[in-house]
Amino acid sequence: MHATVTDHRAEVAVLHLRGELDADTAGQLHATLAGLLERPVPRIVVDLTALKFCDSIGLSAFIVSKQVIASRGGWLSFAGADPFLAQLLETVGLSRYFAIFPEVDDAIAAARI
């Protein structure tokens, strides 16, 4: 997995994920998220457009981060998931805790800042 971060509107970080997110690459995601959680109010859009695979260990990084994000008044949303990944997010219940958008621009536009 390859992760890059871009900033939009100065307050929103977009985390672009590419490749496969699994037990072998989850550490990299944890490290990247840790950096984003250093922000006073973490507002993160996770771009899943180029993510080809994700397992439960990968998803757990987002769940673990949720408490920190919520305690600081921030949010995390997902965007651009392919049909398989969108169904996975729904099945494991993440759609109840995180907003899921069809496109990154939709998630940025919906940002409550």
Side-chain angles (χ1 to χ4, degrees):
M1 181 205 65
H2 181 69
T4 57
V5 176
T6 58
D7 289 311
H8 293 268
R9 292 180 13 198
E11 303 95 351
V12 178
V14 179
L15 173 58
H16 305 273
L17 300 180
R18 184 179 50 201
E20 296 185 359
L21 176 53
D22 55 22
D24 294 332
T25 59
Q28 180 184 357
L29 177 61
H30 279 285
T32 303
L33 281 171
L36 293 173
L37 295 178
E38 296 281 325
R39 295 172 180 221
V41 181
R43 296 179 176 112
I44 305 165
V45 174
V46 181
D47 178 6
L48 303 171
T49 306
L51 192 65
K52 302 303 177 204
F53 175 81
C54 184
D55 68 8
S56 60
I57 294 175
L59 292 177
S60 71
F62 300 116
I63 296 165
V64 169
S65 300
K66 172 123 174 88
Q67 185 174 13
V68 173
I69 291 167
S71 72
R72 294 191 187 154
W75 47 261
L76 183 145
S77 62
F78 297 102
D82 67 22
F84 173 79
L85 194 49
Q87 183 61 45
L88 175 65
L89 294 171
E90 179 70 28
T91 300
V92 299
L94 289 185
S95 61
R96 291 184 302 221
Y97 300 105
F98 302 105
I100 301 172
F101 296 89
E103 303 289 333
V104 171
D105 289 341
D106 298 332
I108 293 170
R112 302 174 314 246
I113 298 176

